[in-house]
Amino acid sequence: MIDHVTANVSDFSAAKDFYTQTLAPLGYSLQMEFGESAGFGTGEGIPDFWIGSSSDRGATHVAFSAPDRAAVDSFNGPPGLRPDYHEAYYAAYVHDADGNNIEAVTHRPE
């Protein structure tokens, strides 16, 4: 049900060091970085825990897995490919009343 979660951090470098050390005993390691975003995972697929320091992301970012692009199209945000992540990343985003960023995403090609 949950594809990934992103925690917004105020000091990216310090947070990256903290989570690298804290998550290591659980089998997690730093898997990907995009600017001031870092993804942690177990090496099986796409990272499922992220940190980032973006003011437009909202307090928390939660991405729910969608079964296909039609489900993403039905979500309450403008859908589209996000090739910066990977060629089949298809998602839509909305913000709730508290500013949290909620996403529907599928990684399946059309």
Side-chain angles (χ1 to χ4, degrees):
M1 179 174 192
I2 303 290
D3 185 80
H4 63 275
V5 174
T6 304
N8 203 10
V9 297
S10 59
D11 183 334
F12 177 73
S13 181
K16 184 170 74 169
D17 291 344
F18 171 81
Y19 283 109
T20 297
Q21 292 175 5
T22 300
L23 297 176
L26 303 177
Y28 276 69
S29 63
L30 180 62
Q31 303 283 309
M32 292 182 184
E33 278 191 75
F34 298 99
E36 287 203 339
S37 292
F40 296 84
T42 60
E44 299 174 15
I46 296 168
D48 54 12
F49 178 71
W50 290 79
I51 60 167
S53 61
S54 174
S55 60
D56 66 343
R57 183 178 292 114
T60 303
H61 170 78
V62 178
F64 292 92
S65 295
D68 52 35
R69 291 184 180 190
V72 174
D73 290 343
S74 298
F75 197 66
N76 284 335
L81 283 170
R82 310 298 195 244
D84 290 351
Y85 303 129
H86 66 73
E87 65 183 31
Y89 196 105
Y90 191 80
Y93 305 88
V94 295
H95 286 89
D96 71 10
D98 294 306
N100 296 305
N101 181 305
I102 310 301
E103 173 185 2
V105 62
T106 184
H107 300 278
R108 297 179 181 165
E110 189 170 20

